[in-house]
């Protein structure tokens, strides 16, 4: 009898707790954005006859209740701790959460995706480039490249690079792998740290026949860095310091954003305090922009086909060129390039990360 009463009491308390949380969910002012998850949250659905009859209201309310549930971040954080510390799982939602780093699982190898990327590169080369163009490519490893093969599930990187080299053919490959290590990347983000890749920029420049500056002042950004993985670790990481490099010549660069028809700064402090602080570098994902360096009177120009990693290395590469053009064919279809860019006598560099190449359906 006592045991039955005890169970009933537990059920009543649990039911009451759920009812209170549900009522709070309905009455509280809904959040527009989850900064921990870096996404918009579902809002209360419209109550009308059409939505009620179609079942749309019920579906949207379920999403709303899930997104706006009180203490949601706390419960998600507890779930991460439970999976990592109690269940001893290596990955949580396809993230490896280690003592100081969060690393996205990149697996399996999508050979068709590599073939698609290489085919697109070759199409650009055949359509727009001539023998006078010097064409290069380099591949940026994602953070899982540096993990132990025995402990973690990850790509067969040897097969990855072999397939890309086979598909690309006669373009000149610049190997930057020996110059990178895990500490060159943000702990809470997939991107590399600008102050750590000066040597990488110099290696790229050396192979392309230009001299890349190495005399920079390293400055600290006046905002804590919360990378894209910080949210998904739910409190298991601390904010990082963010740095940028500068010198007198770099301060004279002129950067033009053709997507929005405006001049922009090399570094935008307002972006460092936004939802994606990596947009501090060249204002983030823009389809077409140029960097002009008035101090480089060598007549050399470079066109970089790029993903987001190039935002932080392009200002370094610009020290060796009179003009650098950055093209992101995730947003600017390659079929339209001839309307925007004159490729005559320019160096061309395809610079992409393994994670984008392994999911190249975004490239157009």
């Amino acid at each position: 009898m006592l045991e039955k009463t005890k169970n009933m009491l537990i059920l009543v308390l649990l039911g009451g707790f759920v009812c209170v949380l549900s009522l709070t969910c309905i009455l509280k002012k809904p959040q527009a954005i989850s900064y921990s998850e870096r996404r918009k949250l579902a809002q209360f659905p419209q109550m009308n006859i059409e939505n009620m009859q179609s079942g749309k209201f019920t579906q949207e309310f379920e999403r709303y209740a899930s997104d706006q549930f009180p203490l949601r971040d706390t419960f998600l954080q507890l779930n991460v701790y439970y999976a990592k510390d109690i269940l001893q799982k290596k990955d949580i939602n396809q993230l490896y959460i280690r003592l100081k780093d969060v690393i996205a699982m990149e697996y399996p190898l999508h050979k068709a995706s590599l073939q698609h990327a290489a085919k697109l590169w070759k199409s650009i080369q055949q359509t727009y480039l001539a023998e006078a163009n010097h064409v290069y490519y380099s591949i940026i490893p994602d953070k899982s490249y540096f993990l132990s093969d025995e402990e973690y599930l990850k790509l067969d990187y040897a097969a990855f690079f072999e397939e890309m080299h086979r598909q690309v053919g006669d373009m000149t490959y610049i190997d930057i792998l020996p110059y990178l290590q895990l500490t060159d990347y943000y702990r809470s983000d997939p991107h590399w740290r600008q102050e750590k890749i000066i040597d990488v920029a110099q290696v790229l420049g050396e192979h392309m026949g230009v001299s890349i500056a190495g005399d920079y002042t390293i400055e600290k950004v006046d905002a804590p860095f919360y990378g894209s993985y910080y949210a998904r670790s739910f409190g298991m990481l601390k904010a990082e310091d963010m740095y940028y490099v500068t010198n007198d010549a770099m301060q004279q660069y002129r950067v033009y954003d053709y997507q929005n028809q405006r001049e922009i700064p090399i570094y935008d402090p307002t972006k460092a305090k936004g939802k994606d602080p990596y947009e501090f570098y060249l204002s983030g994902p823009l389809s077409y922009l140029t960097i002009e360096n008035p101090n480089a009177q060598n007549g050399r120009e470079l066109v970089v086909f790029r993903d987001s990693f190039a935002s932080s290395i392009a200002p370094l590469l610009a020290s060796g060129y009179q003009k650098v053009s950055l093209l992101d064919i995730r947003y600017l279809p390659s079929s339209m390039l001839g309307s925007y860019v004159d490729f005559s006598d320019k160096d061309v560099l395809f610079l992409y990360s393994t994670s984008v190449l392994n999911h190249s359906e975004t490239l157009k």
Side-chain angles (χ1 to χ4, degrees), residues 76-278:
L76 290 171
Q77 183 176 351
L78 288 172
N79 182 59
V80 170
Y81 276 107
Y82 176 74
K84 181 177 181 292
D85 297 332
I86 305 301
L87 299 182
Q88 298 290 303
K89 292 183 67 176
K90 283 285 185 184
D91 71 284
I92 301 167
N93 298 324
Q94 294 194 314
L95 289 180
Y96 297 123
I97 300 180
R98 310 200 316 168
L99 289 176
K100 294 184 178 180
D101 294 284
V102 174
I103 301 171
M105 178 194 295
E106 189 59 63
Y107 183 86
L109 173 63
H110 300 297
K111 185 176 289 188
S113 179
L114 305 189
Q115 293 168 353
H116 169 71
K119 183 179 179 181
L120 197 56
W121 292 4
K122 297 299 292 181
S123 175
I124 291 170
Q125 183 182 31
Q126 293 165 6
T127 304
Y128 302 110
L129 307 182
E131 289 186 8
N133 295 110
H134 297 96
V135 186
Y136 308 89
Y137 74 100
S138 191
I139 300 173
I140 306 163
D142 63 276
K143 288 163 68 174
S144 68
Y145 172 82
F146 304 97
L147 295 175
S148 164
D149 293 345
E150 292 76 24
E151 287 189 75
Y152 297 95
L153 185 64
K154 66 177 197 175
L155 285 179
D156 181 342
Y157 285 96
F160 181 104
F161 282 92
E162 182 180 345
E163 180 64 21
M164 282 303 298
H165 298 332
R166 188 175 70 83
Q167 291 291 331
V168 170
D170 61 347
M171 294 182 185
T172 301
Y173 174 60
I174 304 176
D175 186 8
I176 60 173
L177 296 178
Y179 304 92
L180 288 167
Q181 54 189 343
L182 186 57
T183 53
D184 294 335
Y185 296 71
Y186 289 101
R187 298 194 307 271
S188 61
D189 198 80
H191 294 105
W192 51 18
R193 306 182 65 98
Q194 188 191 47
E195 75 277 11
K196 298 285 190 177
I197 57 170
I198 296 171
D199 58 339
V200 175
Q202 291 175 325
V203 167
L204 290 170
E206 179 183 345
H207 282 80
M208 294 187 292
V210 295
S211 178
I212 301 300
D215 54 334
Y216 297 102
T217 300
I218 298 176
E219 303 283 354
K220 183 178 177 181
V221 178
D222 185 25
F225 183 86
Y226 297 98
S228 61
Y229 300 151
Y230 177 87
R232 294 162 65 185
S233 72
F234 291 99
M236 300 191 75
L237 293 176
K238 295 181 180 179
E240 300 177 68
D241 290 329
M242 186 181 192
Y243 298 92
Y244 65 97
V245 304
T246 187
N247 58 22
D248 292 340
M250 187 177 288
Q251 292 174 18
Q252 298 178 48
Y253 288 178
R254 294 190 297 269
V255 185
Y256 193 79
D257 165 18
Y258 283 87
Q259 178 177 308
N260 298 296
Q261 299 295 306
R262 58 175 184 166
E263 287 194 7
I264 60 172
I266 304 173
Y267 307 123
D268 188 342
T270 63
K271 299 286 187 181
K273 299 178 182 179
K275 190 169 67 172
D276 184 359
Y278 188 75

Side-chain angles (χ1 to χ4, degrees), residues 7 17 32 39 128 148 157 264 292 301 320 323 336 363:
N7 291 340
F17 179 68
R39 67 178 181 87
Y128 302 110
S148 164
Y157 285 96
I264 60 172
E292 293 187 37
E301 294 189 26
K323 183 178 180 180
M336 299 174 60
L363 304 181

Side-chain angles (χ1 to χ4, degrees), residues 34-39 41 67 72-73 76 231-232 234:
S34 169
Y35 289 99
S36 63
E37 295 174 87
R38 301 174 75 172
R39 67 178 181 87
L41 297 177
D67 277 5
R72 185 171 186 271
D73 284 359
L76 290 171
R232 294 162 65 185
F234 291 99

